[in-house]
Each structure stands twice: as C-alpha cells, then as structure tokens.
Amino acid sequence: MTELDEQHLLQRLASPATRHAAFEAMVKAYAQPLYWKIRRMVLVHEDADDLVQNVFLKAWNGLDNFKQQSKLSTWLYRIAINEALDFLRRQKNALALQSPAEPTLTQELLADDYFDGDETQARFQEAIASLPDVQRTVFNLRYFDEMKYEEISVILSTSVGALKASYHLAVKKIRKIMDAE
C-alpha cells in the first residue's frame, strides 16, 4: 500500500461514516502480510489464523488511540508481533508440561497439511523456533520479509545496532543447529 493510499485509508478510518468500509479495506490489504509475519513465528496455520483475527480485533478497538506517529502498517505489524510473542510465551509454558513422547516440531510440520516444505525446511523452521523470542523476531523480519533494520527498529522499539547483533547471533545459532544435524 502506498503512502498516499494509507493516508486516504486513515482519513476514512477517522470518519464514523466510512470507518466500517475503511476497516474492511484495511483487513483486505493487510490480512495476508500479517498472516505470513505471524505464521513464520508460530508455524501452525490455525494458530496464525487465530492470531490475525486477534490483531484486527485489537486494531479495531485501538483505532481511536492510534496517534499516527508511525505508519499504519508499522502499527499493525507491532500488534501482530506482540500477539505472536504472547502466544509463543503461553505455548512455551504449555510445552514445559508436555510429555517427552510428544512429536517434535519437525514431525508436526511435516504432518501439517498447510506446510509444503521438505524435512530440511522443517528442520530450518525448528532451528528458528529454538531461538530466543527477540532473535527469532528479528531473523524472521530481516530474512523472510527483507525489512530494513531501520523499519524493524521502529516496529520493535530497539536500536539498529542491537538488531544487527541479534540477527548475527540468530544466524550463527541456526547454522550451528543445521550443521549438527
């Protein structure tokens, strides 16, 4: 979405008469990019789908509080990443209770109808999933979405230097995991 389109959408979102239609347009424009940002973090289609719905619910409820100090897409990405990180923290707590006989993430991905990769890609996703939350987020945004560090910095409210360090550490850890298998 161009900056001009985004400004027009923001104007329509601000007006009570056009808010619903503008929100539908926003959902149409951003649902797929948000889905893929979230999906790369949580890996499971159904979880990503649910989280996208949560993102748009939070966006709808927070429209009046959106100060337009950042782009609409940046605001939505921040909500999406926070939703995904909260989900992952809850999932990590649930995994602590999981029995050792449960399938590995690689096995789960290979059995997932929505995953179209091979075993190497599943192991790659498992390696990414093993990263600490911040490193995983930075890696996904930089590697898959090819975002510039400056844009990630705005979304995560972190310095560019810290992001570069996180990305570098993430790459080293992923290489080590992939080389070990």
Side-chain angles (χ1 to χ4, degrees):
M1 181 173 278
T2 68
E3 198 166 321
L4 186 59
D5 292 338
E6 190 167 295
Q7 287 302 318
H8 179 65
L9 181 61
L10 287 169
Q11 290 170 350
R12 291 177 53 217
L13 285 167
S15 168
T18 57
R19 180 173 266 194
H20 285 282
F23 190 79
E24 285 180 26
M26 182 181 80
V27 169
K28 191 173 188 177
Y30 290 105
Q32 188 172 6
L34 289 173
Y35 169 83
W36 284 109
K37 281 187 186 359
I38 292 171
R39 174 76 189 269
R40 288 185 194 105
M41 293 178 71
V42 302
L43 301 179
V44 177
H45 165 74
E46 289 81 8
D47 295 335
D49 240 8
D50 291 345
L51 291 172
V52 168
Q53 290 179 22
N54 291 349
V55 168
F56 285 119
L57 283 172
K58 286 192 175 192
W60 176 257
N61 291 330
L63 273 176
D64 292 331
N65 298 325
F66 178 55
K67 306 279 188 260
Q68 298 184 27
Q69 294 171 338
S70 63
K71 293 183 349 184
L72 181 63
S73 58
T74 302
W75 181 62
L76 291 170
Y77 293 155
R78 182 176 292 158
I79 295 170
I81 289 167
N82 286 334
E83 280 294 302
L85 290 173
D86 287 346
F87 173 82
L88 291 170
R89 284 185 203 104
R90 289 190 307 271
Q91 192 177 43
K92 198 177 289 184
N93 291 339
L95 286 176
L97 304 173
Q98 189 176 25
S99 72
E102 296 287 330
T104 66
L105 180 58
T106 299
Q107 293 166 333
E108 286 182 28
L109 283 174
L110 290 172
D112 185 345
D113 292 336
Y114 293 97
F115 182 74
D116 61 358
D118 61 12
E119 188 173 340
T120 302
Q121 290 167 320
R123 282 191 4 250
F124 179 59
Q125 290 300 327
E126 188 168 20
I128 294 169
S130 73
L131 296 171
D133 292 341
V134 172
Q135 288 177 11
R136 179 180 344 160
T137 303
V138 172
F139 182 83
N140 280 324
L141 293 174
R142 183 82 177 129
Y143 182 82
F144 291 112
D145 298 325
E146 299 177 350
M147 282 188 168
K148 294 179 180 171
Y149 286 113
E150 293 75 15
E151 189 176 356
I152 300 170
S153 174
V154 172
I155 292 170
L156 298 179
S157 302
T158 305
S159 72
V160 169
L163 293 171
K164 288 180 179 181
S166 290
Y167 184 77
H168 176 74
L169 289 171
V171 169
K172 280 179 67 173
K173 288 177 183 178
I174 290 169
R175 280 191 183 135
K176 185 176 179 180
I177 291 168
M178 294 300 289
D179 289 344
E181 295 182 21

